Amino acid sequence: MSTHASDPLAALGSLPGVADAVDSVRKAVDRVYGHRVMRRRSNEISSEAALRGARGSAALSGADWALEEVRRRTDFSADPEARTVGAALRLSAEAGQLLSIWRQSPLRVLARLHLVAAGEQLDSVGRPRLVGEAVDEPLVEAPLPAPSEVAARLDGLAELIVAGGDAPALVTSAVVHGELLALRPFTSHNGLVARAAERIVLVGSGLDPKAICPAEVGHAEQGRAAYLAAFEGYLSGTPEGVGAWIAHCGRSVELGVRESTAVCEALQRGAA
């Protein structure tokens, strides 16, 4: 992600298809927030969105479990897939606790997210990877930036977040997600951390303050192949590629809205 504008994130709003995606997401979010069930039972919608978002994020990281299995299971230590689902659930629970810190110290939040996802105290946990350290992220096969480049780009991303600006929440969240996936700054769980950070931006920006629009659901619903194809566009750095990634993330939010709308409808009918 690179541009020479004074507000680089805001400048991305002029990329092909981005303005339409931002407008479409805003309208979708407004509709679900206006649902009559939200006035009385928003906490239930938020809890269900967190669960479904975690399931979706885990699916993209190779653990595609049925929702009811995620809901039923209590032990997430048995095998790699179970540990991935457990990590996604922990991140979903933790993200809401980090909103106030994000705008002041995003790198501290990212370190905390990795610590929560890893669930163990290893020397490599909670800090960017060092030279010679391997990265366990088998589903993302893009070239791995060197630790020096990772450090510089993380610092640049953090500066943009702390500075604020006029960029729409969708744009900022998509760039945070794309950069973390591109950099894979940690030795593991980078996809889960990237999607958790996307959620933090969407919630903390005020677009989705009650965390009821899980983009992770939409990313999973569109499928891993579409996710990786859109990510390739981000990696290309071209206006069309970056715009397509942001639009893909926007569609994911809209699908998350659709999921929560269905939950609202089920609660209204007394079926959930």
Side-chain angles (χ1 to χ4, degrees):
M1 188 272 299
S2 62
T3 174
H4 299 292
S6 57
D7 186 348
L9 291 177
L12 297 180
S14 63
L15 292 179
V18 171
D20 287 343
V22 168
D23 185 56
S24 185
V25 164
R26 178 75 266 175
K27 289 176 179 176
V29 172
D30 286 347
R31 282 196 298 273
V32 71
Y33 270 84
H35 197 287
R36 60 189 301 177
V37 169
M38 281 295 296
R39 291 197 294 271
R40 307 185 309 276
R41 305 177 73 174
S42 64
N43 287 344
E44 292 173 71
I45 309 300
S46 297
S47 295
E48 191 65 20
L51 181 72
R52 294 178 185 223
R55 192 218 73 82
S57 191
L60 287 171
S61 286
D64 192 359
W65 288 16
L67 180 63
E68 291 312 312
E69 176 66 11
V70 177
R71 198 190 303 279
R72 178 192 68 81
R73 185 76 72 95
T74 56
D75 179 12
F76 295 97
S77 62
D79 56 70
E81 282 198 10
R83 289 193 289 274
T84 295
V85 174
L89 287 167
R90 291 193 300 274
L91 284 173
S92 190
E94 184 75 10
Q97 311 303 313
L98 299 171
L99 295 171
S100 63
I101 306 171
W102 174 256
R103 285 297 296 269
Q104 285 74 44
S105 186
L107 298 185
R108 182 177 155 201
V109 169
L110 293 175
R112 175 63 185 168
L113 290 174
H114 186 240
L115 186 67
V116 168
E120 54 186 343
Q121 294 283 354
L122 299 174
D123 178 59
S124 60
V125 169
R127 61 155 174 78
R129 54 188 166 82
L130 304 177
V131 175
E133 288 184 328
V135 174
D136 179 16
E137 202 71 44
L139 299 178
V140 179
E141 298 177 352
L144 201 62
S148 57
E149 181 182 349
V150 170
R153 285 172 64 176
L154 280 178
D155 285 345
L157 185 64
E159 288 173 8
L160 288 174
I161 292 165
V162 171
D166 299 324
L170 173 63
V171 171
T172 303
S173 64
V175 168
V176 167
H177 184 170
E179 276 292 280
L180 293 175
L181 213 56
L183 296 177
R184 279 147 289 157
F186 304 109
T187 56
S188 64
H189 300 95
N190 289 288
L192 294 175
V193 168
R195 291 184 289 275
E198 178 186 42
R199 167 177 280 246
I200 286 172
V201 175
L202 291 170
V203 174
S205 66
L207 176 67
D208 179 24
K210 294 183 182 294
I212 61 167
C213 307
E216 308 97 316
V217 166
H219 287 304
E221 186 172 332
Q222 294 185 84
R224 198 176 303 154
Y227 181 71
L228 292 175
F231 174 57
E232 286 292 327
Y234 181 84
L235 283 177
S236 75
T238 65
E240 294 77 14
V242 176
W245 167 251
I246 295 170
H248 180 89
C249 291
R251 179 59 181 156
S252 296
V253 175
E254 290 186 63
L255 290 170
V257 167
R258 187 175 73 178
E259 186 92 350
S260 287
T261 301
V263 173
C264 287
E265 295 294 335
L267 286 172
Q268 187 165 284
R269 293 191 306 269

